[in-house]
Amino acid sequence: MQQRKAAPVRSDAQRNRERILEVALTELTRCADAPLSAIARKAGVGQGTFYRNFPNREALVLEIYRHEMQQVAESATQLLGTRAPDQALRAWMDHLARFAMAKAGLADAIRQATSGPGSPAKPGHTPLLDAAELLLRAAEEAGTIRPGVSGDDFLLAIGGLWQIDPRGDWQPRAARLLDLVMDGLRAGAPGR
């Protein structure tokens, strides 16, 4: 029995999906209970198109979270291509802070989507962990950070990001925290 190849996603269908995700991120960050019909309307798609992409609120919320996390993770490779490893790591930390603040706005929607009986589990942080490992290994090989820091250690060290109130002036506070973490990573670096 031959397996059929999945048909490629049409470009207009992909644009619709991306537009829904963009609008949903904004709307659900504002209000975890934002009506799906309002999200579809603001994205400029019909109900059928919306539900073909996201059959329910949980699927939409979890896809926003996964999509945003994947974009942050992918930026690690792009930054390494244009900056020194320690500078790429620090710039990536800023991307991660923006993700953390957006995720904080979505926290209620994520909690609602994953808390009921039979609800899907919250996606893991594997893409972020892999990106952190990539950046840490590059900076370690360049001799600009201390050796032996794992991605898990790194995520624990920056865990304070998730304690910052995203509704206030979070950028200076996040920058100070991330600078402290970066200073700690640089302490004991062989190239220092």
Side-chain angles (χ1 to χ4, degrees):
M1 186 171 179
Q2 290 184 352
Q3 289 186 332
R4 292 177 46 176
K5 290 183 179 179
V9 177
R10 294 184 345 231
S11 62
D12 61 328
Q14 184 61 37
R15 279 192 305 274
N16 286 341
R17 182 176 175 78
E18 289 170 5
R19 203 166 43 251
I20 292 167
L21 288 171
E22 181 181 317
V23 169
L25 174 63
T26 301
E27 295 303 310
L28 291 171
T29 297
R30 260 188 242 154
C31 173
D33 295 324
L36 299 182
S37 58
I39 293 171
R41 188 176 55 258
K42 288 181 180 182
V45 300
Q47 295 291 326
T49 298
F50 183 90
Y51 285 107
R52 201 170 22 260
N53 281 283
F54 304 103
N56 55 45
R57 177 177 296 278
E58 292 81 12
L60 175 64
V61 168
L62 294 176
E63 180 58 18
I64 291 168
Y65 182 77
R66 189 206 63 73
H67 179 74
E68 291 292 301
M69 186 172 24
Q70 191 61 43
Q71 289 201 314
V72 171
E74 288 172 1
S75 70
T77 304
Q78 296 163 353
L79 290 166
L80 272 175
T82 60
R83 300 171 189 217
D86 61 327
Q87 293 170 353
L89 175 60
R90 182 59 185 85
W92 186 75
M93 292 163 84
D94 288 333
H95 285 255
L96 192 57
R98 285 189 297 278
F99 167 72
M101 294 304 108
K103 181 180 156 288
L106 279 175
D108 288 339
I110 293 167
R111 212 174 352 272
Q112 288 174 10
T114 60
S115 64
S119 295
K122 182 177 163 185
H125 288 92
T126 302
L128 296 180
L129 188 60
D130 291 346
E133 286 286 350
L134 173 71
L135 289 159
L136 290 166
R137 296 300 65 85
E140 185 178 324
E141 288 173 21
T144 55
I145 67 166
R146 65 187 323 135
V149 178
S150 72
D152 284 328
D153 294 339
F154 174 79
L155 290 179
L156 281 172
I158 63 164
L161 280 175
W162 283 267
Q163 303 305 313
I164 297 172
D165 184 353
R167 294 168 298 213
D169 189 18
W170 62 267
Q171 291 96 337
R173 194 156 188 210
R176 281 191 309 274
L177 172 71
L178 297 176
D179 286 343
L180 282 169
V181 171
M182 199 67 209
D183 288 346
L185 289 170
R186 287 183 174 129
R192 291 271 161 189

